[in-house]
Amino acid sequence: MLKDTSTLAPKALDKSQTKLATAELLVKISKLQNVLYAQGKYSLLIILQGMDASGKDGAIKNVFSGINPLGTKLKAFKTPTEEEAKHDFLWRIHANAPEKGMIQLFNRSHYEDVLVPKVHKWVSEDVIEERYQHINNFEKLLQSNGTQILKFYLHISPEEQQIRLKERTENPEKFWKHSAKDKQEAAFWDEYKDAYENIFKKCNEMAKWIIVPADQNWYKDFVIATAVVECLEKLKLEYPPLQA
Amino acid sequence: MLKDTSTLAPKALDKSQTKLATAELLVKISKLQNVLYAQGKYSLLIILQGMDASGKDGAIKNVFSGINPLGTKLKAFKTPTEEEAKHDFLWRIHANAPEKGMIQLFNRSHYEDVLVPKVHKWVSEDVIEERYQHINNFEKLLQSNGTQILKFYLHISPEEQQIRLKERTENPEKFWKHSAKDKQEAAFWDEYKDAYENIFKKCNEMAKWIIVPADQNWYKDFVIATAVVECLEKLKLEYPPLQA
């Protein structure tokens, strides 16, 4: 699936025009979010996954900066804390599930628990298989409560990743993003790619993955914004009537 | 299932001897809990369900008062708060799932969500059926993390319930337990019984229900204490070796 998908925008696409189109989409998202919040019937969970330096932070900044913080929350999942590690892997995820009316952004997610432990063989394949099932059950539970789930995989090439990781060691404004661990993990590129392919196979049932060509930020932002607008428009959101 | 089960202790059973036996079981629970906590590998979730005045509070007091509070938590679930109601019904339950090493007591639980709404037809039967499935999936998730689940139904007769509800209006030490709502709900006795029968059928897969004859507190306490000891002994708990 990944190897047949380009990490680049379609050649015919014009960069400036696409950027303009994205700007229009962002205005739409902002308006739709307002109704989502006012109606309080649905919620939106946006999951961003991808290799290191695939642009998750950038996508959040570019696509969601214009949205009312009252109705938007961001949670970045890092290595589990001691308390989190004493619970099942979905405990900290569920705690951050959106309430009705909200847009919840996940920078990384429960999918990390079927990536890192699989690549490094910390747990058996049986455990990984069980986790796929737990994840599907969990996403079904959220959906039963009116939560829409958008799962984005930011698809970059290994070459683009190397360029970006290198930049983090050369540009003082990006030093803070540099981590020696990223280089170690980049060596497992193929294993991560396989683990993602498995996820796209096993956890595509409740909410479909959207593979986002992510070597060019302007195209990545456009694809994400398009999917968000489409998802919200499908809900036929409405401002609630005046309550007596 | 319920109608074939007595709400009374077996006739041959001696009350004083049983009370002595319970006292011995409580000492055992206290010792086992200590190892459970020290080892930090498993956890125990104890769910108490039953009609109003079936003795849930009393069971918690009588069976678990002697246990180290360091390793025990109690959560009583009431009508969902505004924040809780904006999430799926398992959100507040999951947040209170025990971490490794802990005993977590639930006075009422996620099973209320397939009782009250079903009896009063607030949601469709399809939604109730889906919830059974969500509950089974959820309990499976907890078990995958080493959580043992004990589900007790405190089985009292409608006659005994009436005596106890009346006492709450006559004994000044029990006034605080009186609620006009309890009498209203007692009128739905048969509907609640049917809803429980359904639960015993549909949610018995991951962790089996234990029907506790509960008209006599001394026998109720004995049955619960016995089940807790049996569950913890099966785990073959061990103090961890000295860490270098």
Side-chain angles (χ1 to χ4, degrees), chain A residues 36-49:
Chain A
L36 182 81
Y37 184 83
Q39 188 175 18
K41 184 176 173 185
Y42 301 101
S43 61
L44 176 59
L45 174 61
I46 296 174
I47 295 173
L48 292 167
Q49 286 285 156

Side-chain angles (χ1 to χ4, degrees), chain A residues 84-98:
Chain A
E84 288 169 351
K86 283 182 180 169
H87 290 90
D88 67 89
F89 75 105
L90 290 171
W91 182 74
R92 64 179 186 157
I93 309 291
H94 204 170
N96 287 284

Side-chain angles (χ1 to χ4, degrees), chain B residues 3-207:
Chain B
K3 70 172 188 306
D4 308 324
T5 313
S6 174
T7 57
L8 298 167
K11 279 201 181 128
L13 210 66
D14 180 80
K15 182 173 167 177
S16 337
Q17 276 186 340
T18 305
K19 281 189 149 191
L20 276 176
T22 304
E24 281 169 26
L25 289 167
L26 299 196
V27 174
K28 271 193 188 173
I29 292 176
S30 181
K31 284 182 185 167
L32 286 161
Q33 180 275 331
N34 212 31
V35 197
L36 181 82
Y37 185 83
Q39 189 176 17
K41 184 176 173 184
Y42 301 101
S43 60
L44 175 58
L45 174 59
I46 295 174
I47 295 172
L48 291 168
Q49 285 286 155
M51 306 286 191
D52 291 320
S54 59
K56 298 181 287 295
D57 287 334
I60 289 163
K61 189 176 162 191
N62 298 341
V63 181
F64 299 101
S65 283
I67 295 188
N68 190 342
L70 181 71
T72 322
K73 278 184 193 167
L74 166 68
K75 174 73 186 173
F77 290 98
K78 318 235 176 213
T79 306
T81 64
E82 200 184 339
E83 191 194 13
E84 288 168 352
K86 283 182 181 170
H87 290 90
D88 67 88
F89 76 104
L90 291 170
W91 182 74
R92 63 178 187 158
I93 309 293
H94 204 171
N96 286 284
E99 57 181 57
K100 291 184 177 194
M102 297 294 290
I103 295 179
Q104 174 72 54
L105 299 163
F106 280 180
N107 186 343
R108 304 190 186 270
S109 66
H110 40 297
Y111 287 101
E112 290 297 313
D113 296 286
V114 283
L115 283 165
V116 193
K118 181 176 159 72
V119 165
H120 295 289
K121 303 191 194 328
W122 293 339
V123 299
S124 72
E125 277 301 310
D126 285 354
V127 168
I128 296 292
E129 288 292 330
E130 266 179 35
R131 285 188 186 175
Y132 296 140
Q133 194 56 52
H134 289 311
I135 288 174
N136 287 337
N137 293 339
F138 171 65
E139 294 184 359
K140 196 172 171 182
L141 172 68
L142 298 188
Q143 287 172 328
S144 76
N145 194 47
T147 302
Q148 311 299 307
I149 306 174
L150 286 175
K151 305 192 282 199
F152 295 105
Y153 173 75
L154 307 195
H155 185 35
I156 55 167
S157 63
E159 295 76 23
E160 178 63 24
Q161 187 195 38
Q162 286 306 318
I163 293 169
R164 294 185 187 181
L165 288 181
K166 193 155 172 272
E167 204 197 342
R168 290 181 180 179
T169 65
E170 294 169 346
N171 179 348
E173 286 186 17
K174 299 212 167 168
F175 284 176
W176 66 280
K177 289 202 148 202
H178 170 69
S179 157
K181 229 183 100 211
D182 290 352
K183 208 174 168 182
Q184 289 165 29
E185 290 304 296
F188 291 92
W189 182 274
D190 288 336
E191 287 83 353
Y192 273 105
K193 224 187 53 198
D194 287 349
Y196 269 114
E197 296 281 14
N198 255 301
I199 288 171
F200 302 150
K201 237 182 288 172
K202 300 293 178 66
C203 300
N204 215 23
E205 180 189 337
M206 299 316 302

Side-chain angles (χ1 to χ4, degrees), chain A residues 5-23:
Chain A
T5 313
S6 174
T7 57
L8 297 168
K11 277 201 181 130
L13 210 65
D14 180 79
K15 182 174 168 177
S16 338
Q17 276 186 339
T18 305
K19 282 188 151 191
L20 276 176
T22 303

